[in-house]
Amino acid sequence: MVPAAPPTTLDDSVGAVSEHLRTRGPTPGLLLVFSVDSPRCDVLPLTDGEIELGRGEVAGVPLDDLRMSRRHARVRREGGRWEIEDLDSRNGTSLDGIPLTGVRAGADLRVVRTGSSVFLLEADVEPFRVGIVRSGGTIRGATLSRAWGAIDGAARSGTTLHITGESGTGKEHAARAFHALGPRRGGPFVALNCAAIPDGLAERLLFGARKGAYSGATADAEGHVQAAHGGVLFLDEVAELDLGVQAKLLRALETREVIPLGASRPVPVDFALVSATHRDLRAQVAAGKLREDLYFRIARPAVRVPRLSERLEEIPWLVDAALRSAGPAAEPGQESAPPAAHASLIEACLLRPWPGNVRELMVEIRAAAQEAQLARCPVVQARHLSPSAGKIFTPSATSAPAPPAPRAAPMASQPPQPPQQARGERRPRRAAALPADQVIEEALRREDGNVARTARVLGVHRTQLRRWIERRLTGAGGGRDEDAGG
């Protein structure tokens, strides 16, 4: 018998907003995701194609950011292109991590920072009115809530679900949601990572074994399938099971009974199965690594957990959760608040692809918090984040073999050497070569857009750096020259 449990519903606001979205066109605007040390999720729709940002109330949303000017920046959208203009603000505007001077336009612009507030540019802000939901250890924005809605429907109407998604997106959280939202939530939730099972042990771990079934079996051992009786069995990386075990799993799903290793009689089982993989199951079938009959049994219904880069609205909330879990650097017997996030940290996180998704973000933010604590800084800034955090893996430049040194030409063919300088004569000074564009952009983000500090870090003259910024922005002027941080 399946344990009875009271009915549970997913947040009704998700369905209400989805119904509203089907009856109107997109509403372009900004999504406020961070302001004054706190994560936010506030919608600022454009009015007649534009909006002006400044300290005070904007589109009904309070912006109590003392680092913002009364009239700070203007945002327009026309023909699928964004246009952002800094209105001679006191602390400047940053666009995708680069200081903004004058006006900049483009279709792929993403992140705007004004003072201590960070905004996302969205072609349609209406889906984000559902806000952020925290439940069961999961932080859900609008994008993830749509996936949770599909999980809710599958949990109520079926006994199988297949979850796809990249590593670190939260597939086990999705499986636990299936368990919590379905009629078997009063039963156990049993999870097994099939990729971590040693060779030859999968059958014993899944279906159990009787005493004496193998050398060292001194007592009956229950398998994961039996342990999930009345509840949900979650098999992560299910395609890693060998083909013989896949056949027995299919039989357990079809007959609702298993035969433990060394047993002669089947044991009845009643469980729902959630499988997961980061691979394409159809490709696994074609490659002979997944049985075709098992594919047809477990592949539908399927839900994809979106990448973190598809759910940017969650990042400030995940950063906040990671900093709280990192804990304060307090002396024994003293209480201290957890470290706070700086707007530059949120901006940097929003601009990185995070191939490891939520798992990578949480680890790197905790490491950044430790760096800030070592520096006795109560606020975690972008400069505390590792330069490689959230970046795509690329071969190291130092790992490539060095090109062979050119062979020396005969002495007669060498050009005449310049005369040596007289003692005490100063050698003419040459400007240092600028590093790669990506290195400069990263340094600007770490130093909060401050030209003077960034130039010192890069070892170049700030005039060179200002010229580089002018070329990138195709306009006059540069970033902030003062040494005061923002």
Side-chain angles (χ1 to χ4, degrees):
M1 292 290 293
V2 176
T8 301
T9 60
L10 191 67
D11 189 357
D12 292 335
S13 61
V14 176
V17 170
S18 298
E19 179 65 27
H20 176 63
L21 293 179
R22 288 192 287 267
T23 62
R24 56 116 199 112
T27 303
L30 283 76
L31 182 66
L32 175 64
V33 295
F34 185 85
S35 185
V36 195
D37 304 335
S38 299
R40 301 275 292 269
C41 189
D42 294 309
V43 169
L44 288 78
L46 303 188
T47 303
D48 296 328
E50 70 174 54
I51 192 171
E52 187 174 295
L53 301 175
R55 189 170 71 251
E57 186 174 295
V58 178
V61 175
L63 293 175
D64 301 323
D65 185 348
L66 297 180
R67 290 187 55 80
M68 287 182 67
S69 302
R70 293 287 181 183
R71 297 182 67 249
H72 198 108
R74 182 180 294 113
V75 178
R76 296 187 180 93
R77 183 171 174 85
E78 183 177 359
R81 287 172 59 85
W82 295 100
E83 182 183 280
I84 294 86
E85 178 184 7
D86 182 77
L87 303 177
D88 295 324
S89 61
R90 178 166 53 92
N91 289 306
T93 300
S94 175
L95 183 56
D96 285 349
I98 303 297
L100 174 65
T101 57
V103 181
R104 184 178 170 191
D108 299 325
L109 305 178
R110 295 182 296 164
V111 182
V112 177
R113 176 156 70 98
T114 59
S116 298
S117 300
V118 183
F119 304 84
L120 293 174
L121 297 168
E122 297 290 345
D124 189 8
V125 294
E126 292 300 329
F128 300 99
R129 292 191 185 276
V130 298
I132 299 292
V133 179
R134 281 179 161 175
S135 64
T138 302
I139 294 173
R140 297 199 316 267
T143 307
L144 191 58
S145 288
R146 286 194 289 272
W148 250 238
I151 293 171
D152 186 21
R156 295 173 185 283
S157 60
T159 57
T160 59
L161 176 68
H162 183 63
I163 302 171
T164 64
E166 294 181 359
S167 177
T169 52
K171 294 188 290 293
E172 183 167 341
H173 282 288
R176 291 184 180 277
F178 178 91
H179 175 243
L181 294 167
R184 299 170 183 269
R185 57 188 169 277
F189 177 86
V190 180
L192 179 64
N193 186 344
C194 301
I197 301 176
D199 291 341
L201 293 183
E203 182 179 359
R204 187 197 323 171
L205 287 175
L206 275 173
F207 309 115
R210 290 289 179 257
K211 179 180 177 180
Y214 55 89
S215 177
T218 57
D220 290 351
E222 185 180 60
H224 283 66
V225 174
Q226 296 98 310
H229 181 73
V232 173
L233 174 65
F234 173 52
L235 296 181
D236 195 9
E237 301 301 341
V238 65
E240 299 296 327
L241 293 172
D242 66 54
L243 295 177
V245 175
Q246 290 180 26
K248 295 183 178 181
L249 175 62
L250 176 63
R251 178 171 177 79
L253 290 169
E254 298 287 356
T255 65
R256 295 292 167 182
E257 58 185 26
V258 297
I259 301 179
L261 197 65
S264 57
R265 294 183 179 181
V267 176
V269 289
D270 179 20
F271 65 98
L273 176 69
V274 178
S275 59
T277 181
H278 70 284
R279 303 180 186 274
D280 181 351
L281 279 190
R282 296 187 70 90
Q284 296 296 101
V285 173
K289 296 182 179 180
L290 181 70
R291 292 177 60 97
E292 183 177 303
D293 47 8
L294 182 60
Y295 169 83
F296 290 126
R297 187 65 177 79
I298 68 173
R300 294 290 184 270
V303 172
R304 186 181 78 90
V305 181
R307 301 186 299 270
L308 181 59
S309 59
E310 299 175 65
R311 21 199 274 233
L312 296 179
E313 71 276 9
E314 296 174 10
I315 284 183
W317 299 82
L318 291 168
V319 169
D320 181 71
L323 292 179
R324 292 179 184 275
S325 66
E331 298 293 332
Q334 296 181 351
E335 293 186 1
S336 179
H342 191 271
S344 65
L345 175 67
I346 302 299
E347 180 184 46
C349 290
L350 291 170
L351 291 169
R352 301 189 184 193
W354 298 106
N357 294 289
V358 177
R359 181 185 294 122
E360 182 188 11
L361 175 71
M362 300 298 278
V363 170
E364 293 291 353
I365 293 301
R366 294 187 187 110
Q370 293 177 356
E371 288 291 327
Q373 290 171 358
L374 290 174
R376 298 187 179 277
C377 183
V379 178
V380 185
Q381 302 180 28
R383 60 188 174 90
H384 297 125
L385 195 63
S386 168
S388 63
K391 301 291 186 66
I392 300 295
F393 293 99
T394 56
S396 172
T398 59
S399 64
R407 298 180 63 180
M411 293 296 293
S413 64
Q414 290 185 1
Q417 298 296 319
Q420 292 186 349
Q421 290 178 301
R423 181 170 303 201
E425 183 181 354
R426 297 184 62 183
R427 189 179 299 272
R429 187 176 179 181
R430 296 182 59 189
L434 283 171
D437 288 354
Q438 184 178 1
V439 175
I440 298 175
E441 291 176 4
E442 183 62 37
L444 277 167
R445 293 189 187 106
R446 285 201 309 269
E447 299 302 328
D448 197 20
N450 189 291
V451 172
R453 291 204 308 266
T454 305
R456 284 197 295 270
V457 169
L458 296 174
V460 300
H461 195 278
R462 65 185 184 186
T463 301
Q464 289 179 274
L465 184 57
R466 290 175 65 85
R467 289 172 181 164
W468 179 89
I469 294 173
E470 290 171 7
R471 289 196 301 270
R472 289 296 299 268
L473 300 179
T474 64
R480 299 194 307 275
D481 246 358
E482 70 277 7
D483 285 334

